[in-house]
């Protein structure tokens, strides 16, 4: 019981989602239809993605990038490389995983090089890179995965739709980095690097996870109806490769998703509430996506708002931009915060101050272009 209490204290989003699900069941009593309305395909796909990416982390798939970063000699080039490693990798391994890989590396490298004063601004920009880089692909973030699954558009069209704002965000990030080092563009850094050599005996495991990752991507992009069988195959394959990976999969996130699916299905089934939300949300999805995300984060906001949406593109742009407004706006931002505070227990206020200033400045520049693009419907 004590461990359960600690879990709910540690993960506020789980507590909020469970409370929302329980309240919604009083609005609409449980039924067979309610169970059928839960998006089991998205849950299964998310389980596969989380399990395989857990294997990526354990087998250090990104070691070549880490070794390269340690050899860079200027603060500008190292920061540029680290931030854009997050930007590009988040398109494939999700925004939270890219932060889990590169934020600790940034802290290690800057500590070794005696440049700790740059840690906060750089990891704040890595957070922006994760939020904006992941927006390009259907599998870059959980909310993208969910909306893509319900959009009916092809992966190519989805990417084309997100590309203008993605390119603009990348250019803007370069300008932010140049501004950070404007006083000394050639400022040097020297680090010894970390021991990131691959173990040859684990080569087969790395290959296995890469193959499984390709299978998961195929499942998402193809929208195959064979997803239950593929989910079983991936689960069995991961278990045979390393049973600990199955144990370490982020089930808290899966349960959080499930609770919000229950909440969404319940309020949708209530004609009065559904009617009100349909009138309130329709044609205002961009604003609703941004604002509701500041209360319950962008992933659950996408799930809750989807049934009342008439413009999925606007909802997508809204929830993808929400992570730039505040710490609660994106689960990836919360992960970034946890990583930093674990290393600097007294740095909570400093993180929130730097993160908010950097992220909000970026948001004020991209919010209008995002709103204009939101009228380009799927």
């Amino acid at each position: 019981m004590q461990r359960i209490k600690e879990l709910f204290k540690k993960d506020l989003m789980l507590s909020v989602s469970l409370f929302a699900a329980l309240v919604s069941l009083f609005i609409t009593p449980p039924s067979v239809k309610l169970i059928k309305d839960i998006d089991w395909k998205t849950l299964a796909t998310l389980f596969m993605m989380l399990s395989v990416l857990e294997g990526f982390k354990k087998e250090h798939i990104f070691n070549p990038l880490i070794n390269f970063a340690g050899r860079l000699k200027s603060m500008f080039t190292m920061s540029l490389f680290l931030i854009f490693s997050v930007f590009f990798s988040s398109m494939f391994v999700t925004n939270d995983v890219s932060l889990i890989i590169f934020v600790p590396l940034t802290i290690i490298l800057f500590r070794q090089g005696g440049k700790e004063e740059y840690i906060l601004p750089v990891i704040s920009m890595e957070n922006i890179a994760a939020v904006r880089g992941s927006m390009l692909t259907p599998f870059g973030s959980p909310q993208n995965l969910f909306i893509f699954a319900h959009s009916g558009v092809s992966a190519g069209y989805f990417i084309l739709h997100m590309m203008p704002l993605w390119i603009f965000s990348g250019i803007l990030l370069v300008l932010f980095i140049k501004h950070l080092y404007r006083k000394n563009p050639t400022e040097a850094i020297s680090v010894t690097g970390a021991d990131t050599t691959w173990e040859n005996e684990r080569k087969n495991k790395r290959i296995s996870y890469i193959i499984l990752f390709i299978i998961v991507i195929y499942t998402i992009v193809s929208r195959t109806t064979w997803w239950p069988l593929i989910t079983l195959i991936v689960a069995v394959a991961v278990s045979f490769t390393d049973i600990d990976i199955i144990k370490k999969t982020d089930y808290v996130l899966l349960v959080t998703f499930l609770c919000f699916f229950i909440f969404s299905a319940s309020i949708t089934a209530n004609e009065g509430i559904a009617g009100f939300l349909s009138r309130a949300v329709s044609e205002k999805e961009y604003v609703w996506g941004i604002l509701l995300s500041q209360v319950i984060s962008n992933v659950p906001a996408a799930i809750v708002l989807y049934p009342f949406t008439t413009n999925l593109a606007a909802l997508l742009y809204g929830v993808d931009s929400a992570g730039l407004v505040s710490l609660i706006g994106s689960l990836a931002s919360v992960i970034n915060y946890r990583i930093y505070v674990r290393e600097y227990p007294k740095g909570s206020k400093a993180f929130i101050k730097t993160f908010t200033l950097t992220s909000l400045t970026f948001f004020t520049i991209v919010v209008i272009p995002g709103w204009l693009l939101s009228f380009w419907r799927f």
Side-chain angles (χ1 to χ4, degrees), residues 264 267-268 273-275 277-278 281-282 285 304-310:
S264 179
I267 62 174
T268 303
I273 297 176
L277 288 175
S278 293
V281 174
S282 181
E285 292 88 351
V304 172
L305 294 175
Y306 163 73
F308 315 104
T309 295
T310 56

Side-chain angles (χ1 to χ4, degrees), residues 295-312:
V295 181
I296 61 173
S297 189
N298 55 4
V299 176
I303 296 170
V304 172
L305 294 175
Y306 163 73
F308 315 104
T309 295
T310 56
N311 183 352
L312 271 182

Side-chain angles (χ1 to χ4, degrees), residues 41-57 89-97 137-142 144-145 209 212-221 230-231 234-235 238 245 249-250 253-254:
K41 181 179 179 180
T42 297
L43 286 172
T45 305
L46 188 61
F47 164 75
M48 289 191 288
M49 182 70 80
L50 292 172
S51 297
V52 172
L53 293 180
E54 193 65 43
F56 268 50
K57 287 188 288 181
S89 66
S90 65
M91 293 159 39
F92 303 101
V93 299
T94 74
N95 48 24
D96 54 347
V97 172
T137 62
F139 33 82
S141 64
N144 278 27
L145 176 64
Y209 290 126
L212 289 172
F213 179 73
I214 293 171
I215 292 172
V216 175
I217 297 302
Y218 167 78
T219 305
I220 296 170
V221 172
I230 295 174
T231 303
V234 170
V238 172
I245 295 300
T249 298
D250 191 352
L253 181 58
L254 290 171

Side-chain angles (χ1 to χ4, degrees), residues 262-279:
I262 293 171
F263 175 75
S264 179
S266 297
I267 62 174
T268 303
N270 184 285
E271 293 183 3
I273 297 176
F276 167 76
L277 288 175
S278 293
R279 293 188 297 272

Side-chain angles (χ1 to χ4, degrees), residues 17-18 20-25 28 30 34-35 37-40 43 255-269 303-304:
S17 66
L18 183 59
L22 291 174
V23 169
S24 69
L25 292 178
T28 305
L34 180 66
I35 296 173
D37 286 342
I38 293 172
D39 192 343
W40 297 107
L43 286 172
V255 172
T256 301
F257 256 67
L258 175 61
C259 288
F260 277 115
F261 278 137
I262 293 171
F263 175 75
S264 179
S266 297
I267 62 174
T268 303
I303 296 170
V304 172

Side-chain angles (χ1 to χ4, degrees), residues 226-248:
W226 292 90
W227 61 266
L229 178 60
I230 295 174
T231 303
L232 179 61
I233 291 171
V234 170
V236 171
V238 172
S239 298
F240 273 106
T241 304
D242 189 342
I243 190 64
D244 285 339
I245 295 300
I246 292 293
K247 296 177 182 177
K248 291 180 180 179

